[in-house]
Amino acid sequence: MLSKYRWWRDAVIYQVYVRSFLDSTGDGIGDLAGVRAGLPYLKKLGVDGIWLSPFYPSPQHDHGYDVADYCGVDPLFGDLAEFDLLIAAARRLGVKVLLDVVPNHCSSEHPWFQEALASAPGSAARDRFHFSDGRGADGAEPPNNWHSMFGGPAWTRVTEPDGRPGQWYLHMFAPEQPDWNWRNRQTGAEFDRVLRFWLDRGIDGFRIDVAAGLYKHPELPDSDDPEADARTRDSVNPLAWNQPEVHDVWRHWRAVCEEYTAGDGRERLLVGEVSVPTAREHAQYVRPDELHQAFFFDLLSAPWSADAFRKVISEAMQDIAGTGSTVTWVLNNHDQVRTVTRYGEPATEGSGLGAARARAAALLMLALPGAAYIYQGEELGLPEVVDLPDDVLTDPIFRRTGSRARIRDGCRVPLPWSGQASPFGFTSGAESARPWLPQPSYFAEYATDRALADTRSFWHLYRDGLQLRAALPQLGEGTLDWLDTPPGVLAFVRGDGLVCAVNFGTAPVPAPVSGTPLLSSGPCTAGVLPGSTAAWWIGDL
Ligand code: GLC
């Protein structure tokens, strides 16, 4: 039976990218003890829960999204005892904890993949993955024409135990991330064990990596348009993604969660990273017996334009809310250029147009019906670090494509906590400790101690927005009605009388409500909504 209060429906969850949050050991890499030390900060911010990026044993080819052991903690990040302490501390503070589970692929160092490499073609060990003979003379061509999301072919050829060039295996991401074969029943059974292992340790749910993946077309046929697949990181290859069978997995995982909920009344949450072409297909993942939530990335992908934002919000409300779930909004994550930079000039200063727009977008997101996810550093207004030197870049996309385009290191630079110089309190080790990615000197302006002390900071905007969300029933689940507005402006009413308006232009416009706003993303006097600004009012229209 479902618990009555479905906490996740309008929850705000904070994504902790563990290796860049807070380092307790002085090795320059954030860890679980650092997350525990940072919990009071997150509680003060006012989030309902955290999602921890992968901390499992891993060779770190894709920073933990290459999992070698799904039921452990990599010594880089701590151990299971530290994990248990973190869960206990979070429980005491009333902060929910979600783990990141990676079911589409594992690490090439996973014992089952190592067993597959050591076994013969056609063996049971190989059937847990996608091994195929190659095409062409001597099988030297990949079995099909699919591209990897990280660039290059989606297949890598192995050397057989006898030393000869042999079969190929499928990897939709890096070669160090072989895809599981979900048509083999052992795969699903193994993930049942993994889910229960962590649920038994007291977590509140999972963020599911690549949740439209897992199953491939059974024949693994050629794609009709491999060049189109290669041009985009969106999951467009209809043979490799979004297969109907994946929905059975989410129904089953939901049932596992419900079983735990029935046991103790605490509702567990599944949130999927679902990249599919349309809002309608997206909605299928959040049907009542499937995932609770799926990130709605269209808001994140929308350009800074009133029309674009209105279109994606309306589509989401129509298609996803119609399933009985709520929409899960997101503006930033560890794979995307940060909003301050994305919406603005490529400058590194936080006072420009990009920062004003990012603040306005935050207020807009927090006023929408549904759940929201915040990526660490978003609450500080951190810009993307756009000038990392090539020799420190670690993103496999950079290695596989040789391109600086869309590399993801720039949003993963360790957080500044205090002080005037790197490591800005990120590492509690020796002064000489170096964060795993270099922090620019201007991070001093964004450090959490300065943010907390300055009421005009991003931090205060997020904290005030979250406090109002918790206090005002209009900002929970419920209706959104658009108001008539001039071009370049969006305004809507939530519930009985909370108005949110955003001016996407640069010139001031008359405000839709006469009084002084409850909260605004920039300086705002009664009756006027300045450019690149959002505000909330309760009052007469
Ligand atoms: C997801 C993760 C990303 C990772 C990829 C492969 O998109 O968010 O960081 O590289 O999956 O696991």
Side-chain angles (χ1 to χ4, degrees):
M1 207 182 66
L2 290 178
S3 52
K4 288 204 193 67
Y5 178 52
R6 307 179 70 184
W7 64 270
W8 50 270
R9 296 180 69 84
D10 55 7
V12 178
I13 309 270
Y14 183 99
Q15 178 187 356
V16 176
Y17 195 68
V18 178
R19 61 164 41 237
S20 300
F21 185 71
L22 187 56
D23 166 24
S24 74
T25 60
D27 65 356
I29 296 180
D31 47 46
L32 295 181
V35 178
R36 181 157 59 95
L39 283 176
Y41 164 81
L42 298 174
K43 180 70 186 170
K44 198 183 287 181
L45 180 62
V47 294
D48 298 295
I50 56 176
W51 142 33
L52 299 171
S53 54
F55 52 73
Y56 316 109
S58 159
Q60 302 290 319
H61 289 290
D62 189 20
H63 293 328
Y65 286 97
D66 46 330
V67 182
D69 170 5
Y70 287 85
C71 295
V73 175
D74 195 293
L76 269 182
F77 303 117
D79 54 23
L80 280 173
E82 182 52 57
F83 175 82
D84 291 340
L85 290 175
L86 168 58
I87 294 295
R91 183 73 62 78
R92 275 195 302 276
L93 286 171
V95 173
K96 315 259 189 209
V97 180
L98 309 182
L99 302 199
D100 207 321
V101 63
V102 187
N104 181 70
H105 47 267
C106 60
S107 159
S108 48
E109 291 187 14
H110 189 285
W112 281 11
F113 190 72
Q114 287 295 316
E115 187 188 339
L117 288 179
S119 304
S123 59
R126 287 212 170 169
D127 189 57
R128 295 171 178 147
F129 300 91
H130 295 283
F131 277 85
S132 286
D133 293 334
R135 300 195 288 200
D138 304 325
E141 302 291 325
N144 73 22
N145 63 3
W146 296 1
H147 286 278
S148 142
M149 298 284 281
F150 287 170
W155 295 90
T156 290
R157 194 169 196 188
V158 303
T159 303
E160 298 295 354
D162 65 8
R164 281 190 293 198
Q167 288 196 300
W168 298 70
Y169 68 90
L170 179 71
H171 51 85
M172 293 310 295
F173 294 90
E176 296 86 0
Q177 295 167 297
D179 279 42
W180 290 106
N181 174 13
W182 273 83
R183 295 182 195 281
N184 181 319
R185 296 173 74 87
Q186 288 179 21
T187 304
E190 175 62 2
F191 276 95
D192 279 5
R193 187 181 75 83
V194 171
L195 297 186
R196 289 177 188 280
F197 177 85
W198 293 110
L199 288 166
D200 287 342
R201 291 192 106 90
I203 65 158
D204 297 283
F206 296 96
R207 176 265 187 188
I208 303 168
D209 193 59
V210 198
L214 283 65
Y215 280 86
K216 280 81 193 166
H217 187 289
E219 312 297 331
L220 304 178
D222 272 338
S223 161
D224 289 341
D225 195 356
E227 297 321 310
D229 303 344
R231 272 196 302 276
T232 170
R233 284 196 62 238
D234 293 331
S235 306
V236 291
N237 178 348
L239 305 163
W241 308 107
N242 200 22
Q243 302 297 298
E245 296 90 336
V246 75
H247 293 283
D248 296 335
V249 178
W250 306 142
R251 280 188 202 101
H252 176 65
W253 286 27
R254 178 71 176 249
V256 171
C257 286
E258 300 301 348
E259 183 191 315
Y260 278 80
T261 301
D264 61 13
R266 285 199 296 125
E267 197 173 15
R268 308 312 196 277
L269 164 65
L270 297 173
V271 54
E273 183 202 26
V274 174
S275 297
V276 285
T278 64
R280 194 153 298 175
E281 285 162 291
H282 184 96
Q284 295 182 344
Y285 286 77
V286 290
R287 288 178 286 200
D289 58 348
E290 296 199 33
L291 304 179
H292 303 77
Q293 301 179 331
F295 298 123
F296 189 70
F297 290 123
D298 292 17
L299 188 69
L300 185 156
S301 332
W304 183 251
S305 126
D307 289 346
F309 270 60
R310 180 168 175 156
K311 182 164 178 282
V312 299
I313 293 167
S314 301
E315 264 179 25
M317 297 294 296
Q318 193 179 320
D319 288 329
I320 291 154
T323 61
S325 182
T326 51
V327 186
T328 300
W329 308 102
V330 53
L331 290 169
N332 290 283
N333 67 28
H334 65 294
D335 295 328
Q336 303 293 337
V337 174
R338 288 184 178 275
T339 36
V340 168
T341 304
R342 191 155 24 95
Y343 294 147
E345 63 287 330
T348 49
E349 301 301 321
S351 55
L353 199 54
R357 289 172 171 174
R359 291 171 65 94
L363 222 49
L364 168 69
M365 176 174 79
L366 293 177
L368 294 173
Y373 281 68
I374 298 173
Y375 173 52
Q376 71 180 34
E378 180 178 334
E379 82 286 10
L380 301 173
L382 277 187
E384 184 83 0
V385 180
V386 292
D387 52 1
L388 290 167
D390 286 2
D391 61 353
V392 303
L393 299 178
T394 59
D395 185 352
I397 296 178
F398 177 64
R399 197 162 27 89
R400 302 262 308 162
T401 62
S403 152
R404 292 194 59 105
R406 291 197 61 107
I407 47 158
R408 300 171 298 171
D409 293 284
C411 63
R412 299 174 177 178
V413 176
L415 287 190
W417 291 85
S418 59
Q420 294 303 318
S422 180
F424 298 114
F426 165 70
T427 161
S428 53
E431 279 301 300
S432 58
R434 300 249 303 262
W436 69 277
L437 278 175
Q439 299 162 303
S441 57
Y442 64 78
F443 262 31
E445 288 167 43
Y446 299 89
T448 61
D449 60 349
R450 281 175 73 161
L452 265 77
D454 178 0
T455 53
R456 293 160 310 168
S457 67
F458 266 76
W459 194 88
H460 279 272
L461 179 71
Y462 273 84
R463 203 277 314 263
D464 293 352
L466 291 173
Q467 274 185 351
L468 286 172
R469 253 178 95 99
L472 297 174
Q474 294 94 330
L475 287 169
E477 254 191 84
T479 55
L480 177 152
D481 296 305
W482 295 107
L483 297 175
D484 287 338
T485 40
V489 179
L490 284 190
F492 53 83
V493 190
R494 294 295 326 281
D496 63 348
L498 185 130
V499 175
C500 171
V502 189
N503 182 354
F504 285 78
T506 47
V509 295
V513 180
S514 51
T516 312
L518 276 180
L519 184 61
S520 58
S521 64
C524 213
T525 48
V528 178
L529 184 60
S532 313
T533 302
W536 295 354
W537 297 261
I538 289 188
D540 296 333
L541 295 177

